[in-house]
Amino acid sequence: MYKYTFESICNFRIDVNGILKVSVEDLDMGKEQSIIIIDNERMYDGKIKWTICDA
């Protein structure tokens, strides 16, 4: 069975308008991915956590 570990940096930023920006950088491969979450309504905690995990 193979075992793989990796190092990454994860950033969460929320601006004054409630826009959530999440980015993750894989330090081993040098790749970065990000997602911007915009919602006109206030998101409840469960929806925020689900959206982050889904990203």
Side-chain angles (χ1 to χ4, degrees):
M1 186 160 141
Y2 296 101
K3 193 175 200 181
Y4 180 74
T5 59
F6 62 93
E7 292 185 44
S8 62
I9 297 174
C10 185
N11 292 306
F12 296 90
R13 294 189 179 124
I14 301 176
D15 69 10
V16 295
N17 297 315
I19 298 173
L20 175 63
K21 298 177 183 179
V22 181
S23 64
V24 177
E25 180 182 359
D26 184 337
L27 298 176
D28 294 332
M29 302 192 76
K31 292 185 178 181
E32 183 174 337
Q33 289 195 334
S34 62
I35 185 170
I36 298 173
I37 302 169
I38 301 171
D39 197 349
N40 294 334
E41 299 176 10
R42 182 165 173 82
M43 295 173 65
Y44 58 90
D45 290 341
K47 186 175 179 183
I48 292 171
K49 289 178 185 176
W50 179 85
T51 305
I52 291 171
C53 290
D54 188 49

